[in-house]
Amino acid sequence: MNREERHQYGMKVLEQVDGEAGQRIVDSLADVSPELGHQVVAWAFGDMYDRPELPARDRQLVTLGVLTALGGCEIELEVHINAALNVGLTATEIAEALLHSAVYAGMPRSVNATLVAKRVFGERGLLPISNLS
């Protein structure tokens, strides 16, 4: 594929996974780094997200874990928590993944990610979550 075809294909995948939230991120880069926006679409979504070896829901679990571990990724977490819901993860599964991340990423990062999830779940009418065992 040429550059434009990769971008078009990436936009199709982006729309399926992230919907409007992903498009807002790309749009926010247009006046400061349109090339970064292009790479997010063409490379991250056109090349990586649609690889057949890992289902979309599993890719989102990995993404949530990495973003939580990195810390300071609240904007991306909001996009990818929505994406995780879009590809079939439940709010309880997401809350559990963020809880599990506390073991490896630390409690403060897990709490921060969970509070982003709370906002997304609230916007989507998915609260309260009960994952007590």
Side-chain angles (χ1 to χ4, degrees):
M1 280 191 258
N2 67 31
R3 179 179 169 87
E4 185 53 35
E5 290 169 335
R6 283 181 62 229
H7 186 266
Q8 288 175 355
Y9 183 74
M11 283 302 297
K12 182 179 134 195
V13 176
L14 174 74
E15 290 170 8
Q16 292 170 346
V17 174
D18 283 345
E20 291 179 18
Q23 184 63 54
R24 282 194 303 271
I25 296 292
V26 173
D27 291 347
S28 72
L29 296 169
D31 62 348
V32 66
S33 184
E35 182 60 23
L36 180 56
H38 173 84
Q39 293 299 326
V40 166
V41 172
W43 180 65
F45 286 89
D47 291 343
M48 298 304 291
Y49 263 83
D50 205 39
R51 291 178 53 81
E53 291 79 11
L54 197 61
R57 71 183 315 279
D58 295 352
R59 286 189 190 280
Q60 286 305 317
L61 281 172
V62 171
T63 302
L64 293 177
V66 170
L67 292 173
T68 299
L70 285 170
C73 297
E74 287 76 14
I75 293 169
E76 291 84 0
L77 274 165
E78 182 176 345
V79 170
H80 287 285
I81 291 166
N82 272 297
L85 293 165
N86 293 345
V87 299
L89 285 161
T90 66
T92 300
E93 290 170 325
I94 293 166
E96 189 66 24
L98 299 176
L99 170 64
H100 184 75
S101 70
V103 175
Y104 297 96
M107 193 64 69
R109 289 185 174 165
S110 177
V111 169
N112 289 345
T114 301
L115 291 175
V116 174
K118 178 181 178 178
R119 185 172 58 244
V120 171
F121 297 161
E123 290 168 359
R124 292 179 73 154
L126 300 173
L127 291 175
I129 304 298
S130 176
N131 63 339
L132 298 174
S133 311

